[in-house]
């Protein structure tokens, strides 16, 4: 069970890292911290899955509840805070394509700057 939960945390950490990058309107400044914490919890659970006892199980339940509240906050509250135009804009494939092209151009610029340092 702990291994499945660790993969769940890893997957959601990756999703929560990509969501603010792809859709800037849904992102907030602390999302990267929360996504990083999800990734760390997932990796710790995956590496140390044989060392858990009752105390760690209760901690795991608590962290899972926090994770559920975070999911509800992102997918319901933030979506309802957007205007009608922003909701329609986010539903289109063109907006996703535009955001992905921005990320690719930023990565290529960073790669070019990194290669110029050497």
């Amino acid at each position: 069970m702990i291994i499945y939960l660790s993969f769940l945390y890893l997957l959601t950490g990756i999703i929560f890292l990509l969501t603010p990058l792809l859709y800037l309107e849904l992102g907030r400044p602390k999302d990267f911290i929360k996504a990083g914490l999800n990734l760390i919890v997932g990796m710790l659970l995956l590496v140390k899955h044989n060392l858990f006892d009752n105390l760690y199980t209760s901690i795991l339940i608590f962290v899972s509840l926090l994770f559920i509240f975070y999911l509800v906050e992102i997918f319901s509250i933030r979506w309802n805070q957007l205007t009608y135009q922003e909701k329609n804009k986010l539903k289109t494939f063109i907006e996703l394509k535009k955001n992905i092209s921005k990320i690719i151009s930023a990565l290529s610029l960073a790669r070019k700057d990194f290669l110029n340092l050497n």
Side-chain angles (χ1 to χ4, degrees):
M1 178 182 138
I2 292 177
I3 293 176
Y4 296 122
L5 201 57
S6 66
F7 283 119
L8 175 73
Y9 277 108
L10 288 173
L11 178 69
T12 53
I14 291 169
I15 289 171
F16 291 150
L17 279 175
L18 290 178
T19 301
L21 289 174
L22 293 177
Y23 297 109
L24 298 175
E25 294 85 4
L26 291 177
R28 291 193 181 160
K30 294 182 182 178
D31 283 347
F32 294 118
I33 295 170
K34 292 177 184 177
L37 289 175
N38 280 331
L39 286 172
I40 290 171
V41 168
M43 285 186 278
L44 285 175
L45 288 175
L46 191 61
V47 171
K48 305 282 185 184
H49 66 87
N50 290 330
L51 300 177
F52 287 100
D53 59 355
N54 291 335
L55 176 65
Y56 290 112
T57 305
S58 62
I59 292 171
L60 194 62
I61 291 170
F62 178 71
V63 170
S64 297
L65 288 174
L66 287 176
F67 174 72
I68 290 169
F69 287 133
Y70 180 62
L71 279 176
V72 168
E73 189 240 340
I74 283 182
F75 292 115
S76 66
I77 296 172
R78 291 187 190 181
W79 182 256
N80 289 332
Q81 288 177 349
L82 295 175
T83 63
Y84 184 72
Q85 279 183 324
E86 290 173 333
K87 287 180 186 178
N88 285 335
K89 188 173 79 170
L90 288 178
K91 290 179 185 178
T92 62
F93 182 72
I94 296 169
E95 185 69 22
L96 178 66
K97 187 177 172 183
K98 185 173 75 172
N99 289 337
I100 289 174
S101 68
K102 285 180 186 178
I103 291 171
I104 290 172
S105 65
L107 288 175
S108 67
L109 181 64
R111 185 182 58 106
K112 188 173 80 171
D113 287 342
F114 180 73
L115 292 176
N116 287 338
L117 289 175
N118 294 334

